[in-house]
Amino acid sequence: MLVVMEAHATAEQIEAVCAEIRAMGFTPHPMPGPTRTAIGITGNQGPIEQAGRLQRLPGVSQLIRVTAPYKRVSREFKELDTVVEVSGVPIGGAGIAVIAGPCTVESREQTLNVARAVRAAGAIMLRGGAYKPRTSPYSFQGLGEAGLRILAEARELTGLPVVTEVMDTETLPLVVEYADMLQIGARNMQNYSLLRAVGRTQRPVLLKRGFAATVKDLLLAAEYILAEGNSNVVLCERGIRTFDDSLRFTLDLAVVPLIKQLSHLPVIVDPSHASGRADLVIPMARAAIAAGADGLIVEVHDNPAYAVCDGIQALIPDSFAAMMHQLARIAAAVERPLLSRVEVNGGHTTLA
Ligand code: PEP
Ligand code: MN
């Protein structure tokens, strides 16, 4: 349920509505808007029977039922787009954010090389896994804390905020020490204790769609994070499993405009895991921007043939730079600039 206040409702009237909602045993969420305040209600199981008590309070314009099962994530609950700020980088605003980096942190040299290269080509954030969810327990599992330290050094060197995966609640406190943004991977999208735990931090979260998850599953997973008080969530379409095994996954691009209708949260696309092939990454990245994605997360490696994981889908830095040029033109066609860093004042960077 959403209580929409009149445009001129006073702070006292808003507080009186909140108090009444609390008296009913529910939680009010006042959301000031450009013209008027709306107050969301959570905690109710089904329709609120005493809703008439709210309707009669001074300053109340109308009550709207939120029909979606995900409440705080839904567009019904919050009409305006959410912009998630990751250490100064706004995701979900007018600009398009391109995040790039290796699948995994293999070494200091490899990570710093790739970080420098993607920074030079215009990436706005750095990706890299220190804890890797691998299908086989015998595959490389990531460098762990040593990897996090390398990412922190790469951030220091380039000024790019870092997104890295957190796999479990045990390592969350450690990952929070280093990461600007916490990635929840496809395999963990429905790990509800982990979702709740990241929800109790205020750190931005990149929530990747599970490969057998419906859009509703994804939005309800995000709801776990918002319900704990963290609304800094960016959703990521990264391909799903279908009957077609021609590619690693099937990029489900129509969900980008669909999710933007259903939710106020930003949506980005991972064309690397979705296709699993470097030669398909650039066309899919172009399509994602054309479809309205708020950004991309792309794997780049300086020597893909020797990559420890996901080399087949990694772009080399030159291809990544070529992609950025193409994307700038597509972004212009959809009237959104690519976010970029420009050098000002002798090395300090700012967003343009
Ligand atoms: C990754 O980003 O490296 C990754 C493991 O992605 P996903 O969880 O989408 O498979
Ligand atoms: Mn990968």
Side-chain angles (χ1 to χ4, degrees):
M1 173 83 65
L2 199 62
V3 182
V4 181
M5 301 299 292
E6 284 165 358
H8 302 293
T10 64
E12 290 73 30
Q13 288 171 337
I14 292 167
E15 181 40 43
V17 172
C18 292
E20 188 63 37
I21 293 168
R22 281 190 288 266
M24 293 173 174
F26 308 133
T27 311
H29 305 274
M31 291 171 285
T35 53
R36 50 197 183 172
T37 292
I39 305 167
I41 304 176
T42 57
N44 52 308
Q45 314 286 333
I48 298 178
E49 288 175 7
Q50 321 92 309
R53 270 157 59 184
L54 297 171
Q55 183 74 73
R56 282 188 291 275
L57 290 176
V60 171
S61 164
Q62 55 169 328
L63 303 186
I64 299 175
R65 262 199 77 193
V66 177
T67 50
Y70 35 85
K71 303 293 174 198
R72 307 194 62 175
V73 158
S74 75
R75 199 49 101 176
E76 294 170 302
F77 205 93
K78 179 172 181 265
E79 198 184 335
L80 295 180
D81 288 344
T82 287
V83 180
V84 174
E85 209 38 59
V86 186
S87 303
V89 174
I91 304 182
I96 290 167
V98 180
I99 305 167
C103 176
T104 185
V105 176
E106 296 168 18
S107 68
R108 181 172 176 272
E109 193 195 1
Q110 165 251 11
T111 304
L112 298 189
N113 275 346
V114 175
R116 264 191 229 101
V118 299
R119 161 79 165 76
I124 199 79
M125 275 181 63
L126 179 67
R127 63 149 289 144
Y131 294 92
K132 295 302 298 179
R134 302 306 299 278
T135 301
S136 164
Y138 307 117
S139 303
F140 175 69
Q141 305 284 310
L143 292 182
E145 187 174 6
L148 294 173
R149 278 198 296 269
I150 292 170
L151 287 169
E153 192 179 343
R155 167 178 53 213
E156 194 67 32
L157 180 77
T158 58
L160 301 182
V162 164
V163 56
T164 193
E165 179 157 355
V166 56
M167 279 185 34
D168 46 50
T169 51
E170 293 129 66
T171 48
L172 175 61
L174 185 65
V175 178
V176 163
E177 276 182 44
Y178 293 92
D180 296 279
M181 183 179 218
L182 304 167
Q183 175 172 325
I184 305 270
R187 291 157 190 81
N188 261 321
M189 189 206 84
Q190 286 176 310
N191 180 340
Y192 297 119
S193 50
L194 183 59
L195 296 173
R196 283 194 196 282
V198 298
R200 288 191 292 269
T201 75
Q202 280 305 307
R203 200 56 53 87
V205 177
L206 178 63
L207 180 62
K208 299 188 83 175
R209 180 182 184 186
F211 33 81
T214 63
V215 166
K216 186 172 153 192
D217 295 336
L218 172 63
L219 295 176
L220 282 168
E223 186 79 10
Y224 270 87
I225 304 172
L226 271 74
E228 293 295 327
N230 184 355
S231 38
N232 302 309
V233 176
V234 175
L235 304 170
C236 180
E237 162 56 31
R238 47 78 72 215
I240 52 171
R241 232 169 227 164
T242 66
F243 59 84
D244 191 348
D245 59 2
S246 325
L247 296 172
R248 190 173 181 191
F249 295 99
T250 300
L251 180 58
D252 189 10
L253 212 44
V255 305
V256 172
L258 175 65
I259 293 173
K260 297 212 67 89
Q261 284 178 21
L262 299 173
S263 174
H264 52 86
L265 295 176
V267 187
I268 70 168
V269 168
D270 174 347
S272 305
H273 291 88
S275 63
R277 276 173 43 172
D279 61 335
L280 301 181
V281 167
I282 298 180
M284 290 303 95
R286 291 195 302 245
I289 300 306
D294 295 302
L296 296 168
I297 181 163
V298 179
E299 289 188 346
V300 177
H301 198 285
D302 54 350
N303 196 353
Y306 289 87
V308 168
C309 76
D310 286 353
I312 299 170
Q313 68 196 32
L315 295 182
I316 55 169
D318 281 354
S319 307
F320 178 72
M323 181 189 86
M324 291 300 281
H325 279 112
Q326 297 179 16
L327 294 183
R329 297 173 61 194
I330 293 171
V334 294
E335 295 178 344
R336 297 179 73 179
L338 280 188
L339 287 174
S340 67
R341 284 174 183 268
V342 292
E343 296 287 344
V344 286
N345 304 336
H348 287 283
T349 58
T350 186
L351 288 175

